[in-house]
Amino acid sequence: MDSQEEVRLLLEGRFVENGITEYTGDGSVDINGKPVLKNNTGNWKACPFILGTECCERLAYYGISTNLVTYLTNKLHEGNANAARNVTTWQGTCYLTPLIGAFLADAYWGRYWTIAVFSTIYFIGMGTLTLSATVPSLRPPPCVDSICPSASFSQYAIFIVGLYMIALGTGGIKPCVSSFGADQFDDTDSKERVRKGSFFNWFYFSINIGALISSSFLVWVQDNLGWGLGFGIPTVFMALAIGSFLSGTPLYRFQKPGGSPLTRMCQVLSASFSKWNVEVPHDSSLLYEVPDGVSAIAGSRKLEHSDELKCLDKAAVISDNEVKTGDFSNPWRLCTVTQVEELKILIRMFPIWATGIVFSAVYAQISTMFVEQGMTMDTKIGSFTIPPASLSTFDVVSVIVWVPLYDSILVPIARKFTGKERGFSALQRMGIGLFISIFAMATAAIVEIRRLQIARDLDLVHQDVSVPMTILWQIPQYFLVGAAEIFTFIGQLEFFYDQSPDAMRSLCSALSLLTTALGNYLSSLILTIVTILTTKGGKPGWIPDNLNEGRLDNYFWLLAGLSFLNMLVYVLCAAKYKSKKAS
């Protein structure tokens, strides 16, 4: 068998060495850059290490973020609105920094080394934050009566450095772990492709196991045993995450980095602009593409031509001068069809991506306004006091309940009606989640209306005290947000991995995470605008420090209305979306 035939069969996943076993057909390699055997690597045998990494890392992250608003208000003595803004801004940054990790992973380092490097940064940040909460001189003294001294510049600076090192570290990990896990399943194998759909469900399940421990046990530790221990435990789990990830190295399948995706997109724009007066041929087969079975882009399959955005096709038109000289090597003047299609895919995905921002703003309420609402309610169940932030446990429980139900019950039922191997398409799944999110915000508003009514009946409006309404009334709103997560966030993971070009999967995963960042920023912006507009004329506003004087219900109704409008836009965009076609 000649070498060209071996390459062809290897790409198709059918090449057999010594009659023993098959190689993967998606171009994956081992850590030494050699083609990998299906039976010895990847699949579910490699996934426990990745799922363990994600579970421990998410436990560390939520161990910080879930109760952070309480730390800011009770230990650093910030006001409610300011603390909520700082938390959402930091959380937004945690979902903005994935662009850095994704670029390095796709262009240069690959997903494995990007995860390893940024995990180390993450661990150092966790240690710094733990130190700031443990050493008395690194935090402000406690309140005396109503006098609460603010943190000094140096105290606040050390806290912020640790916090934003965590943001950088988690940013390098987030876009890579889910994609690296999905890389363990061969796209050219129909059985492994179905298993990859299940992987995303169990990946999100692992996230929420970590979140469950954080929102229950760790929140209790922070509120009752101290913040030094409460931040120290997540630091230990971050070390365990690194150990779990490195332990699976011999079993992993690796995708080669394909070079800078930003450079390739700029090349398409440059080439199409330089040929703005060139006519695109009606026969797409006349457009430039490398003749071999392998794409010119490392780690990528060829993409079939699509009829949309024909102006970009000019980048793949072979000019008369290029025909005469036979020089097709300048990518700034001539791009392959696959390279052009990469940019087209990103543009087609943009409207779907944008509709995830409002949903992320709704999700941000779990760690901000839901917590502050809970702090004004009766947190005692008998002799036990429930930390308000620990109510997010019910969001996590909702997810943990829904994942196996979805995977084992909903998918087989839906498959009978839709004929799709995963039951629902990723777009259908996301739409269902957006619909549920409307009811989550409406439920929160109804609970707040009842709470304010009790405050008025008992003449507690002008007293900054808890209202005798059990905090357990918040459970439905947390449960509904969890149900919405299962559909929208996991749908996003599937959509941005499956629809992204092969050599841009980390970047597209980062773009899906960017919706969470922008959702947090949107939440901060809405909070700022609402505060400015509703406090005019000396009014307390919708969200004052004493929520008994406010109208938090109006804020929740506003988010419900925005969610409804967002869902309508999403339905229109999803109906027009055309999926990619890889050769």
Side-chain angles (χ1 to χ4, degrees), residues 22 82 407 472 524 550 573:
E22 295 178 331
N82 192 42
D407 214 36
L472 299 182
S524 295
C573 295

Side-chain angles (χ1 to χ4, degrees), residues 198 201-202 205 397-415 422-424 429 479 483 486-487 490:
S198 290
N201 290 330
W202 293 105
F205 182 87
V397 169
S398 175
V399 171
I400 291 173
V401 169
W402 271 106
V403 164
L405 286 177
Y406 183 90
D407 214 36
S408 60
I409 298 176
L410 284 182
V411 168
I413 292 174
R415 189 182 290 138
R422 298 182 188 177
F424 298 103
R429 188 169 186 173
F479 193 83
I486 279 298
F487 288 94
I490 300 180

Side-chain angles (χ1 to χ4, degrees), residues 134-155:
T134 304
V135 179
S137 61
L138 297 181
R139 62 179 189 269
C143 297
V144 178
D145 296 327
S146 60
I147 301 174
C148 298
S150 299
S152 67
F153 174 80
S154 59
Q155 290 171 339

Side-chain angles (χ1 to χ4, degrees), residues 34-342:
K34 298 179 180 179
V36 290
L37 301 171
K38 277 189 177 183
N39 291 345
N40 297 345
T41 60
N43 222 311
W44 282 112
K45 62 172 66 72
C47 287
F49 299 96
I50 298 170
L51 296 178
T53 299
E54 184 65 10
C55 181
C56 292
E57 186 273 326
R58 289 291 85 189
L59 186 149
Y61 174 79
Y62 286 114
I64 302 301
S65 66
T66 301
N67 212 17
L68 185 59
V69 71
T70 305
Y71 185 80
L72 291 174
T73 54
N74 293 349
K75 297 300 179 180
L76 296 186
H77 310 144
E78 295 187 355
N80 283 338
N82 192 42
R85 275 195 299 270
N86 284 336
V87 170
T88 52
T89 300
W90 173 74
Q91 288 178 331
T93 304
C94 289
Y95 287 89
L96 184 63
T97 51
L99 291 173
I100 300 172
F103 176 78
L104 292 172
D106 280 342
Y108 305 111
W109 294 353
R111 287 184 263 279
Y112 175 85
W113 289 111
T114 303
I115 294 170
V117 170
F118 280 89
S119 292
T120 305
I121 296 172
Y122 197 145
F123 178 74
I124 295 171
M126 293 288 298
T128 303
L129 197 67
T130 302
L131 194 66
S132 73
T134 304
V135 179
S137 61
L138 297 181
R139 62 179 189 269
C143 297
V144 178
D145 296 327
S146 60
I147 301 174
C148 298
S150 299
S152 67
F153 174 80
S154 59
Q155 290 171 339
Y156 199 71
I158 293 173
F159 173 78
I160 288 297
V161 166
L163 200 63
Y164 278 85
M165 282 188 73
I166 293 171
L168 178 61
T170 192
I173 296 171
K174 276 179 178 292
C176 300
V177 177
S178 63
S179 296
F180 188 68
D183 287 345
Q184 307 309 309
F185 300 91
D186 188 351
D187 264 342
T188 64
D189 186 312
S190 59
K191 291 182 179 179
E192 291 198 18
R193 198 163 54 240
V194 172
R195 291 174 195 151
K196 182 168 65 179
S198 290
F199 167 79
F200 285 119
N201 290 330
W202 293 105
F203 178 82
Y204 208 75
F205 182 87
S206 299
I207 289 174
N208 283 274
I209 289 294
L212 175 62
I213 297 171
S214 296
S215 60
S216 54
F217 172 68
L218 285 181
V219 168
W220 182 86
V221 169
Q222 290 163 354
D223 286 354
N224 294 276
L225 301 181
W227 290 89
L229 183 61
F231 286 162
I233 294 173
T235 304
V236 172
F237 272 92
M238 190 58 226
L240 292 175
I242 297 173
S244 174
F245 180 71
L246 296 178
S247 298
T249 301
L251 298 174
Y252 294 149
R253 297 174 183 174
F254 302 80
Q255 292 290 337
K256 295 180 180 179
S260 171
L262 297 179
T263 300
R264 294 199 300 275
M265 287 187 281
C266 289
Q267 288 171 342
V268 172
L269 293 174
S270 173
S272 58
F273 181 77
S274 67
K275 297 178 179 179
W276 65 273
N277 59 345
V278 173
E279 184 177 348
V280 178
H282 294 291
D283 185 357
S284 62
S285 66
L286 298 176
L287 297 174
Y288 177 67
E289 183 59 274
V290 291
D292 300 330
V294 185
S295 168
I297 303 168
S300 175
R301 292 168 294 174
K302 287 184 178 179
L303 295 171
E304 295 183 11
H305 176 264
S306 63
D307 293 328
E308 297 174 315
L309 301 167
K310 285 184 174 294
C311 59
L312 296 177
D313 287 337
K314 294 178 184 292
V317 174
I318 304 174
S319 67
D320 293 338
N321 183 57
E322 287 160 341
V323 172
K324 291 178 182 178
T325 61
D327 182 11
F328 305 136
S329 62
N330 186 354
W332 294 95
R333 297 286 299 176
L334 180 64
C335 303
T336 65
V337 169
T338 295
Q339 190 173 340
V340 172
E341 289 301 317
E342 279 189 333

Side-chain angles (χ1 to χ4, degrees), residues 396-548:
V396 178
V397 169
S398 175
V399 171
I400 291 173
V401 169
W402 271 106
V403 164
L405 286 177
Y406 183 90
D407 214 36
S408 60
I409 298 176
L410 284 182
V411 168
I413 292 174
R415 189 182 290 138
K416 293 179 180 179
F417 293 97
T418 64
K420 300 180 185 297
E421 59 186 16
R422 298 182 188 177
F424 298 103
S425 69
L427 290 173
Q428 290 170 335
R429 188 169 186 173
M430 291 162 65
I432 294 170
L434 295 180
F435 180 71
I436 296 173
S437 70
I438 300 170
F439 292 96
M441 286 298 98
T443 302
I446 291 170
V447 169
E448 182 64 11
I449 289 172
R450 178 57 182 160
R451 194 193 69 81
L452 291 175
Q453 182 62 51
I454 294 174
R456 286 191 292 269
D457 292 344
L458 299 178
D459 198 23
L460 300 176
V461 172
H462 300 296
Q463 299 181 46
D464 191 5
V465 296
S466 298
V467 170
M469 176 183 179
T470 178
I471 196 173
L472 299 182
W473 280 105
Q474 283 192 308
I475 291 176
Q477 64 204 55
Y478 279 103
F479 193 83
L480 285 169
V481 171
E485 277 183 73
I486 279 298
F487 288 94
T488 299
F489 280 154
I490 300 180
Q492 282 182 341
L493 285 174
E494 287 188 35
F495 177 78
F496 284 102
Y497 185 88
D498 288 342
Q499 293 302 309
S500 64
D502 294 345
M504 297 173 66
R505 279 174 166 161
S506 295
L507 179 62
C508 288
S509 294
L511 290 176
S512 72
L513 294 167
L514 184 59
T515 63
T516 306
L518 296 179
N520 278 277
Y521 292 142
L522 176 62
S523 178
S524 295
L525 177 62
I526 293 172
L527 276 169
T528 301
I529 294 173
V530 164
T531 300
I532 292 172
L533 294 180
T534 60
T535 55
K536 289 183 177 179
K539 296 179 181 179
W542 286 1
I543 312 173
D545 286 342
N546 177 14
L547 290 180
N548 293 340

